[in-house]
Each structure stands twice: as structure tokens, then as C-alpha cells.
Amino acid sequence: MDKINIKKVAVIGSGIMGSRIACHLSNIGLSVILLDICPTELNEKEKKLNKTLKDKSVRNRIVNDSLLNSINSKPSPLFLKSLTDNIVTGNLEDDTHLISNVDWIIEAVVENLEIKKNVYDLIEKHRSNKTIISTNTSGIPIKQISEGRSKNFKELFLGTHFFNPPRYLRLLEIIPGKETKKTVIDFFIDFGSKTLGKETVICKDTPAFIANRLGIYSLMSTIHSVEKFNLKVSEVDFLTGPIIGRPKSATFRTMDVVGLDTAVNVSNNLLKDLKEDESVSMFKLPGSVKKLYNNKQWGDKTGKGFYKKEVDEKGKKTFYEINLNTDKYETYENNQDKELLNIKKEESLDKRITDLVSLKTKHGDFYRSIFYDSFRYCSLRIPEVSDDIYKIDKAICSGFGWKKGPFETWDAIGVEKVFNEMLKLKLKPAPWVEEMLSLGIKSFYKFSNNKKHFYDIKEKQHKPIPGSEDLVVLDAFKENDVVWSNKGVTLYDIKDGVLNLEFH
């Protein structure tokens, strides 16, 4: 095929992800067409204005409202508000013909295979046979989406899975189909990294790919642990936020932002597709969360979820959290355990995590439960979702905003120590971990010749992480090459006559 050059893009589906992807593409100067369905009935405002379903403003109401909501969200999906000029909106009944001259079509509709197939029927009628098509699916296998499509479609089709919010979360999972042309795959690896500013990770076409398969499992494991240890929603968000190197949105606030309906759709798809997963039952919703879903308490998009915000006449905001035992909202206060607050002050993330896991309290039990179960599950997913541990860590860190992936966290606590404790808790990891330890290898990562190496399971030895040859990783110099340091800075000798000053 000709050299790929993307200047014009069509995004189909203007929900939270579709509209924010459109904004991010606009940020880099691309011309974007954003399309969605037409409303089936008038709203109250339209009725008062004597509008009809044939009026253009009504027909484009869904897409325009969605884009406006995204633009007004915080943090902003746009570098500049003026970049909305790069985005043209329309609907799938009147404007689908516009996709005939775009370079790339991104489908970002609801996680429902039948709906997606209907959208692709429409795309096939209007697209050029040179246009690349991709799906932003969170977890439906690529082979299922492309089933029955033309040879040309399959050759130009792949998964390009962005994470929310697309401007800020760095991961872009590239999921090729069996017939996807290598030139298309190679282009998106380069385009995603250099143009979109993403950490691009090639994924196998398995349910939910890497980040969501393992990240959603960790999320669900945490939610199940809430009932097990009788913890409050805000308490869990404190325990699973910055204190362990994860975003402030932590667990439940993240679900409110992403949307409980989205999380449920992904979980339901995994329950359906994972026939041979020994831990598939973890993807079943706890009863308390299922009630929220059934009541359409989906988070930000419905006004309330695990949290609810109320604003009085004077503009004063009051925040509430759901009591998962009573299903009622209660005001919450940040009355955290003093021991936890002291640990949070520790500068070293490795030391914080180690101290938290060592606690002889219910919080320590909680950490050991969620960490060890996550370690076990991730180890068992090799080689199913990925052949290499560094790809798993990279995907989860970039997709969920974690500072340390599961294998990096395991290293921080101590691989052999944790392995023995996991056996006592009947959370036995994959056999390759025991084999690695039997070879005298006590860590998943190590630094050698000032480069970061990972444990290669097939070759049973540490190897340099591919693509890192030209990178300077400061952690690699911490053991032998610190010239001087205090609480505020560290001065490293990074060789070749260069000193590096790192501000903490």
C-alpha cells in the first residue's frame, strides 16, 4: 500500500471516550469529523422552541452535547479551546458520507458487539478502500469485531485502545488482527509514540488485552476485598491512591469517572469470553455494586455513583459517599489512621509499600490480599496476554497511571518473601516464578551496565528491555554513581563527562 499519511480522521461515537479522542486528535492539528446517532425524541427545551426531529440542531444534539461536556470537563481534553475549530460534528443518518475521504476511522461506540457490527455495516458502505479503520474497544476481541468483513477491511483494521482521559493517560494499546498489514501496525507504533505522545504497547488479541484484563481484575479484587474487610468507600480510595503510587482517583473515584456502566460492560464481556480463566468468578459484581448499576448510579455521567456532590444556593459543595451496607449516601471525613498517615510521609515509594504490607492490622491484611492476588493473577496470564513482564508493567502503569506495575511492586516488597507468604495464603503464582527462584534469581528486574534489565521467562535470564538502549534511567545510577545528595536533590554521574541534577 502507499505510504500512510494521516491528516483527516472520523470518530464514530461521541461518548466520553469518542469526544475526548476527537479532542486529543485536534490537539495535534488533525482535522476531525465526530459522528453519533440522532435522538429519537425531543427534550423539554426543544419542545418549548417548537423544534421537530427533522431540525438539524436536534439531529446533532447528542454529538454536540457530548463534545461540549468533554470540552468543559476538568482536566481539559484540549490544549486550547480554539482547537474545537478542528472538529466538525454530524450524525450517522445525514453525514456518514463524510467519512469517504478521511485517512483513519475510529469506532468508539458502546461495548456491545451487535451495535459495533451495525456501525461497521454503515462504515463499509461509505469508506474508501485505502482508509485505515480501528476500534477503541475496551475488551471485545478484534477477531470477533472483524468477523465476516472483506479482505481489504481486515488488512486495514486493528485495535487502537486509548485510555481515559486520552490526553493524559499515556497508554495506547495496538491490537493487530491476524490479517492486519505489517505496514499498518508499524505505522501506528511510530505514530502513536511520536505524534500522539503515547506509550504504545503491542497486545495479543485476547479478551480486554493487557491493561484492562489485569487492571480490571485488580479493581474487582479490591472491590471484593472491601466487603471482606468491612472498609468504607473513601477509606479504600485513601488506601489505593497516592500512598501506593497510584492516582488520587484510586479505586471508586476512578469508576465514577470512567462510568460504572463501562466497567460492568467490560466485566460482563470477560465473564462471557474467559472460558479457561481459573479466576473468572472475580469479574462478577458484588451485590452492593450491582445495585448501583441497576439503579443507574453510574458515576459522573449520571450525577451520582460511589460518590455524590451537592451544591447549595450559596455555592457550597458537600460531598457524600455511598455506604455499601445500607445503600445510602453519607458525608465523609478524612479521619485516617495515624500509622497510615505517618507511612504516607515516607518519601520512598518502595519503603511505603513495604511498610504497608507489613502492617499487623486489617489494613495490612487488605494490602496483602489485593497485592498478592494481583501478583498471582498477572503471573498466570503469561504467556496468554503477553510473553514479557515488562510489557505488563508498562501497560498497567501507562493505562491506569500507576507508578509501579505488579512485577515492579513485587520486586519492591521482595520476590522470595512474598512468594512464601502467597503459598501460605493459598495464592500460588505461576510455576515460572518458582523456577526463577530455584535458579537463584531473586528479582524480576535488575540494573546492569547502567541499563534496566528484565527477567526473560523463555531464556531464564535477565535481558535489556527492548527500546531502552538509548535511554538514561536514573535508577540505574543510584547504587554506585551518586556524587552528592540531600532531601531536595541528587547529583548523579551519568558517565561521558555528564552530571545530572535530579530535583525530588
Side-chain angles (χ1 to χ4, degrees):
M1 62 183 294
D2 297 334
K3 183 179 179 181
I4 300 172
N5 186 18
I6 291 178
K7 292 187 177 180
K8 196 168 185 177
V9 184
V11 180
I12 313 294
S14 66
I16 288 176
M17 283 306 297
S19 55
R20 291 181 182 182
I21 290 171
C23 287
H24 189 58
L25 298 177
S26 174
N27 285 334
I28 61 172
L30 298 180
S31 176
V32 184
I33 299 166
L34 181 63
L35 304 177
D36 212 321
I37 59 173
C38 293
T40 56
E41 58 184 26
L42 298 172
N43 60 26
E44 291 303 315
K45 182 179 179 181
E46 290 163 344
K47 289 176 182 177
K48 289 179 181 179
L49 293 173
N50 294 318
K51 297 282 187 179
T52 72
L53 290 174
K54 293 182 179 180
D55 287 316
K56 191 70 174 177
S57 62
V58 175
R59 295 177 74 75
N60 285 354
R61 185 227 306 157
I62 291 175
V63 66
N64 288 334
D65 285 355
S66 296
L67 180 58
L68 184 62
N69 288 338
S70 284
I71 291 169
N72 291 332
S73 65
K74 293 182 180 179
S76 175
L78 291 169
F79 295 149
L80 299 168
K81 284 284 182 75
S82 60
L83 288 169
T84 52
D85 294 342
N86 292 342
I87 304 172
V88 174
T89 58
N91 65 77
L92 289 170
E93 292 181 23
D94 305 324
D95 306 303
T96 313
H97 65 278
L98 296 175
I99 71 173
S100 61
N101 64 346
V102 302
D103 306 304
W104 176 22
I105 299 168
I106 308 174
E107 169 269 306
V109 303
V110 66
E111 288 291 277
N112 180 296
L113 184 57
E114 290 308 310
I115 292 175
K116 287 183 184 294
K117 285 188 172 183
N118 290 335
V119 169
Y120 285 112
D121 286 342
L122 195 59
I123 289 172
E124 284 262 59
K125 291 178 183 178
H126 296 277
R127 76 175 186 92
S128 159
N129 62 8
K130 294 182 179 180
T131 303
I132 293 169
I133 318 104
S134 72
T135 176
N136 187 60
T137 180
S138 300
I140 300 175
I142 300 303
K143 60 187 175 186
Q144 290 184 18
I145 297 175
S146 62
E147 187 178 6
R149 298 289 158 197
S150 65
K151 183 175 184 293
N152 173 263
F153 181 100
K154 291 180 179 180
E155 288 177 343
L156 300 179
F157 179 69
L158 72 165
T160 52
H161 183 212
F162 291 81
F163 280 68
N164 188 31
R167 179 183 168 188
Y168 299 94
L169 284 182
R170 291 195 61 216
L171 181 61
L172 176 62
E173 290 183 319
I174 305 295
I175 311 100
K178 283 187 177 180
E179 297 176 49
T180 308
K181 287 187 175 181
K182 186 177 183 300
T183 50
V184 174
I185 301 168
D186 292 343
F187 170 81
F188 271 98
I189 293 172
D190 185 72
F191 180 77
S193 175
K194 295 180 181 176
T195 307
L196 294 175
K198 297 296 178 185
E199 185 81 67
T200 54
V201 176
I202 294 287
C203 300
K204 295 184 178 183
D205 190 15
T206 53
F209 318 123
I210 298 177
N212 267 346
R213 173 74 173 277
L214 305 178
I216 293 293
Y217 181 89
S218 176
L219 194 70
M220 296 302 290
S221 177
T222 300
I223 292 170
H224 283 286
S225 295
V226 173
E227 295 184 346
K228 180 180 176 182
F229 297 104
N230 192 28
L231 299 170
K232 295 169 65 177
V233 164
S234 59
E235 188 178 9
V236 170
D237 276 355
F238 176 83
L239 294 170
T240 56
I243 194 170
I244 57 171
R246 298 182 187 178
K248 289 181 180 179
S249 56
T251 300
F252 293 107
R253 182 69 191 117
T254 294
M255 291 188 77
D256 272 357
V257 171
V258 173
L260 180 56
D261 58 325
T262 300
V264 167
N265 283 333
V266 173
S267 292
N268 285 343
N269 284 330
L270 287 170
L271 279 169
K272 181 181 66 178
D273 294 333
L274 297 178
K275 306 298 184 186
E276 299 179 5
D277 189 319
E278 76 293 329
S279 306
V280 67
S281 61
M282 188 62 75
F283 293 103
K284 292 181 180 177
L285 289 177
S288 56
V289 178
K290 202 168 186 177
K291 284 182 186 177
L292 286 179
Y293 176 74
N294 291 337
N295 293 334
K296 294 192 175 181
Q297 292 167 262
W298 295 346
D300 291 2
K301 64 177 70 176
T302 59
K304 58 183 178 180
F306 293 102
Y307 294 97
K308 181 177 71 169
K309 179 178 71 174
E310 290 184 357
V311 183
D312 64 19
E313 295 176 354
K314 296 181 180 180
K316 181 182 177 181
K317 299 176 183 177
T318 305
F319 294 90
Y320 301 87
E321 64 178 304
I322 195 81
N323 183 318
L324 293 174
N325 294 318
T326 65
D327 302 325
K328 294 181 179 179
Y329 286 97
E330 304 170 347
T331 54
Y332 70 91
E333 300 175 3
N334 293 320
N335 296 324
Q336 298 300 341
D337 182 282
K338 287 185 178 179
E339 191 171 21
L340 291 173
L341 292 174
N342 286 331
I343 291 175
K344 189 180 179 182
K345 294 176 184 176
E346 167 60 48
E347 184 178 325
S348 167
L349 176 56
D350 286 4
K351 180 74 163 57
R352 287 204 303 272
I353 291 172
T354 302
D355 288 348
L356 291 169
V357 170
S358 300
L359 290 172
K360 304 301 182 184
T361 62
K362 74 171 183 179
H363 294 132
D365 291 338
F366 169 76
Y367 279 120
R368 287 186 288 276
S369 174
I370 64 168
F371 279 140
Y372 294 179
D373 187 39
S374 176
F375 297 162
R376 176 196 65 83
Y377 190 72
C378 289
S379 72
L380 289 166
R381 299 285 70 80
I382 296 173
E384 180 192 351
V385 303
S386 177
D387 295 320
D388 302 308
I389 60 170
Y390 77 90
K391 289 180 181 176
I392 287 175
D393 281 343
K394 185 188 289 188
I396 293 181
C397 287
S398 300
F400 287 85
W402 296 8
K403 289 188 177 177
K404 282 187 177 293
F407 293 105
E408 292 170 321
T409 303
W410 195 344
D411 258 359
I413 305 169
V415 178
E416 190 168 33
K417 171 182 178 291
V418 169
F419 176 81
N420 291 329
E421 291 180 0
M422 289 170 72
L423 294 182
K424 292 176 184 177
L425 294 172
K426 297 182 179 179
L427 293 171
K428 188 176 181 179
W432 66 262
V433 179
E434 185 173 11
E435 180 187 46
M436 182 186 89
L437 291 170
S438 71
L439 294 171
I441 299 173
K442 307 296 185 183
S443 66
F444 298 113
Y445 296 96
K446 73 172 187 177
F447 293 102
S448 179
N449 297 322
N450 296 324
K451 298 297 177 186
K452 190 172 184 178
H453 292 59
F454 75 102
Y455 178 69
D456 186 297
I457 297 166
K458 289 181 180 177
E459 297 193 19
K460 300 179 178 53
Q461 62 179 335
H462 284 97
K463 292 175 58 180
I465 294 176
S468 66
E469 296 83 3
D470 297 325
L471 299 178
V472 174
V473 181
L474 292 181
D475 284 344
F477 297 88
K478 286 185 176 178
E479 188 171 341
N480 301 311
D481 299 292
V482 174
V483 177
W484 181 82
S485 68
N486 63 19
K487 288 185 177 181
V489 298
T490 298
L491 188 65
Y492 301 92
D493 178 2
I494 61 173
K495 312 306 177 187
D496 296 326
V498 179
L499 292 174
N500 182 88
L501 184 65
E502 177 189 38
F503 291 89
H504 300 164

